[in-house]
Amino acid sequence: AAVAVPQNIAPLRLAPGKPRGALLIKLANKNVNPVWVKVEVHGEYPIVRFTVYSFFQASTKGVINAQVNDINDFKATVFGQGYFFQSAPIALDSGQVKDGAAKVTVDLKHSVPAGWLSADVHHHANKNDAFADPADLIPSILASGLPVALVSDHDFTVNNYDTYELIKSDYSDIVGFIPSEEISASWAHFNVLPQTAESYDYFMDPNRENRVVSVFQPFPGIVRKTHELGATITANHPYYAYGLYYARELDAVPGGYVDDFDLIELNANCDDVEIIKTLNDAFAFWTAYMVKGEHMGKKVERLHYLVAASDTHDVLYPGIANDKGGSTLYHTGKARTYAHIDDLAGDLKAVGLSVANNIRDGHSYVSYGPILNPAKVFGNSFTAEKGEFEIDVEIQSLNGVQDIVILSSLGSKEYTYKGKDGSGQTENFVLKNVLDVLPYKGENKVGLNYKAQMGKEKDAWFAVLVVDRSDYQMFAVSNPYWVSSSVK
């Protein structure tokens, strides 16, 4: 039937808006050296994407060309290099502008210790449901203070080589690159990390053949194929709607659940309900591996170490900031993995492979803010002389340390973590395998020296969780030390 069109509705007339004002922002650290940063102009977030920009990045180190609706009346936030880890967000407004330009000094309060490199090991470019062109992706990685870049598009590898070439030609501050992909089966997602030179070259995909692991096979086949290609496989956001653990709970894993995957992801897009469940499962996996036991109904014969990542899909529209500095933003590097590297020499490939190898071996920790510098490298095995194991870690926290939680297979206590549920409401969550809780008063730098007593236990694992005083309860957690007692 024909639809009657009302005759009393005025036609929609489109007209160009007022031209936006150009704003030049020059950015440097306290030593007047230029830095990579990102800027958000408040109140100008677009209703329709691409009609206007509110986030701006430095295409040249230390310089951002932004636009604002009114150069004489605006507010913005500068997310300084290594923001939320090494520097706090900085307020910028029209009062700081002179002749259309503003100068901002980024205070890098903390530094990453020598021998450690950080990477956001789950980050999309512009394929499938993502929108970050490689030319935008790299400045976002640099602004986050990440020296190692990675691309993991959903079922695409064609961006890897272009990103690699872009870094080589224009961005010397990136020291390592990891070509990846996100295997995106309908029921769960998985990231790959190449572990060999051959695997690296395969996923680099220089001829843009789209060398991906097929999702059209059962889970055991996906894992087997990834390993055949020389890569590790990560269970991404495992309790999310398309995560491995969630599918397992529903008995909905095609081919059945197997314990042959490698890494467990803490994902910045997931709420604390999922994060705490994932952590408790990681601890259970470590204990089961140590005692040759079972977890999730399977004998645990492979180590499952933790990684963390942002899962960012769009660096120019990561969300809307708030007065506290943007906890709701899905920034590049909001969660990240720090890996220990013995030898930093080498090209993008050598460093990228070294980072991937050390993540595989647990010589790493994950963080949403605090920076750790352990005297002993995580993931290694040690002997506890006289049944005592010493944990010695230097800690930096931009927001100040609230608690240090000593985790262990010997731990029978619980820790209450104040986080957010799926609706954003504050809720208390219980963390298990707690050996001890050390409260602090908000110190920004802490030297932890803890002597763990093993008693009559022959073997144990130990790990460190640092909770900071952010309004959003950010934390860092290490992969475990594996310890055998010399006491017979």
Side-chain angles (χ1 to χ4, degrees):
V3 178
V5 178
Q7 299 299 310
N8 58 347
I9 297 179
L12 177 64
R13 299 187 183 279
L14 299 178
K18 176 184 176 183
R20 304 187 84 198
L23 172 62
L24 174 66
I25 308 174
K26 296 183 178 180
L27 309 116
N29 60 21
K30 287 190 171 182
N31 295 324
V32 201
N33 295 318
V35 293
W36 296 98
V37 302
K38 179 181 289 191
V39 173
E40 182 197 12
V41 181
H42 293 271
E44 301 182 19
Y45 199 80
I47 297 174
V48 179
R49 195 180 186 281
F50 295 128
T51 57
V52 70
Y53 288 92
S54 58
F55 274 87
F56 300 90
Q57 302 187 136
S59 56
T60 300
K61 190 175 183 180
V63 178
I64 288 180
N65 291 291
Q67 292 180 327
V68 294
N69 285 337
D70 187 347
I71 195 73
N72 298 310
D73 185 17
F74 75 89
K75 291 183 179 180
T77 298
V78 177
F79 297 98
Q81 183 166 336
Y83 44 79
F84 305 119
F85 290 78
Q86 296 168 266
S87 67
I90 304 165
L92 174 66
D93 60 36
S94 50
Q96 298 164 258
V97 177
K98 183 179 180 180
D99 298 326
K103 291 184 178 181
V104 176
T105 299
V106 177
D107 186 4
L108 293 171
K109 294 181 179 296
H110 299 313
S111 60
V112 177
W116 290 88
L117 293 179
S118 57
D120 185 340
V121 295
H122 183 173
H123 198 300
H124 298 274
N126 62 4
K127 299 302 179 185
N128 207 308
D129 62 346
F131 301 92
D133 185 271
D136 293 321
L137 171 68
I138 300 306
S140 184
I141 288 173
L142 287 165
S144 301
L146 299 168
V148 178
L150 173 142
V151 175
S152 55
D153 280 328
H154 291 284
D155 304 314
F156 277 94
T157 57
V158 295
N159 267 320
N160 289 339
Y161 187 70
D162 288 346
T163 306
Y164 172 83
E165 287 293 305
L166 180 65
I167 295 169
K168 276 179 52 179
S169 62
D170 294 336
Y171 297 102
S172 60
D173 288 337
I174 297 288
V175 300
F177 176 69
I178 303 174
S180 182
E181 73 145 316
E182 184 171 13
I183 306 168
S184 306
S186 61
W187 57 277
H189 293 179
F190 308 90
N191 262 15
V192 304
L193 290 179
Q195 299 297 318
T196 65
E198 295 76 16
S199 179
Y200 189 99
D201 293 342
Y202 180 88
F203 287 105
M204 180 69 81
D205 194 7
N207 295 323
R208 298 170 184 82
E209 299 168 327
N210 205 32
R211 297 171 174 175
V212 296
V213 177
S214 174
V215 301
F216 301 106
Q217 56 185 320
F219 177 50
I222 291 175
V223 175
R224 183 169 56 252
K225 182 60 178 178
T226 304
H227 287 160
E228 288 174 355
L229 291 171
T232 56
I233 183 167
T234 302
N236 290 351
H237 37 67
Y239 276 111
Y240 203 60
Y242 30 90
L244 176 62
Y245 298 173
Y246 181 74
R248 179 197 162 274
E249 286 184 340
L250 298 176
D251 194 24
V253 179
Y257 169 82
V258 293
D259 188 62
D260 291 343
F261 64 97
D262 302 285
L263 301 167
I264 304 168
E265 183 189 69
L266 300 183
N267 188 297
N269 277 303
C270 293
D271 59 45
D272 289 317
V273 177
E274 299 165 39
I275 295 298
I276 297 302
K277 287 177 68 176
T278 301
L279 282 174
N280 283 329
D281 274 311
F283 306 156
F285 274 123
W286 298 344
T287 299
Y289 175 82
M290 187 182 68
V291 302
K292 297 180 173 58
E294 292 187 357
H295 183 55
M296 294 189 174
K298 297 289 183 181
K299 186 175 181 180
V300 179
E301 298 181 302
R302 182 182 290 267
L303 282 169
H304 304 306
Y305 287 121
L306 290 168
V307 296
S310 70
D311 197 3
T312 298
H313 283 65
D314 192 343
V315 299
L316 296 181
Y317 296 87
I320 302 175
N322 51 48
D323 294 338
K324 299 295 184 180
S327 173
T328 58
L329 299 174
Y330 297 120
H331 277 309
T332 301
K334 183 178 179 180
R336 61 189 66 181
T337 304
Y338 287 85
H340 183 264
I341 309 297
D342 292 321
D343 185 2
L344 296 179
D347 58 13
L348 292 173
K349 178 179 179 178
V351 174
L353 273 175
S354 185
V355 169
N357 294 162
N358 281 278
I359 288 174
R360 173 200 63 200
D361 295 336
H363 304 319
S364 56
Y365 68 93
V366 301
S367 183
Y368 291 70
I371 299 172
L372 311 184
N373 186 21
K376 303 182 184 76
V377 177
F378 306 122
N380 280 330
S381 297
F382 300 91
T383 298
E385 299 297 334
K386 299 181 181 179
E388 181 179 87
F389 179 66
E390 186 173 12
I391 302 172
D392 193 350
V393 184
E394 294 178 358
I395 299 165
Q396 302 174 87
S397 174
L398 201 63
N399 297 296
V401 176
Q402 174 175 301
D403 293 315
I404 297 177
V405 182
I406 308 299
L407 302 161
S408 176
S409 54
L410 307 179
S412 58
K413 301 177 184 178
E414 295 180 340
Y415 175 77
T416 300
Y417 181 82
K418 183 181 178 183
K420 303 286 186 181
D421 63 16
S423 62
Q425 299 299 309
T426 300
E427 188 175 333
N428 291 329
F429 304 97
V430 173
L431 199 65
K432 300 177 181 178
N433 284 102
V434 173
L435 184 65
D436 207 349
V437 179
L438 311 174
Y440 286 82
K441 299 180 180 179
E443 296 93 333
N444 297 109
K445 295 185 178 181
V446 170
L448 169 67
N449 183 265
Y450 185 87
K451 294 179 173 62
Q453 307 299 321
M454 294 187 63
K456 297 180 180 180
E457 295 295 328
K458 179 183 177 183
D459 298 303
W461 61 259
F462 297 92
V464 177
L465 173 81
V466 178
V467 181
D468 78 8
R469 289 201 165 193
S470 164
D471 290 337
Y472 305 103
Q473 285 287 10
M474 296 189 286
F475 64 88
V477 61
S478 75
N479 278 304
Y481 295 117
W482 303 99
V483 184
S484 295
S485 175
S486 63
V487 177
K488 297 182 180 179

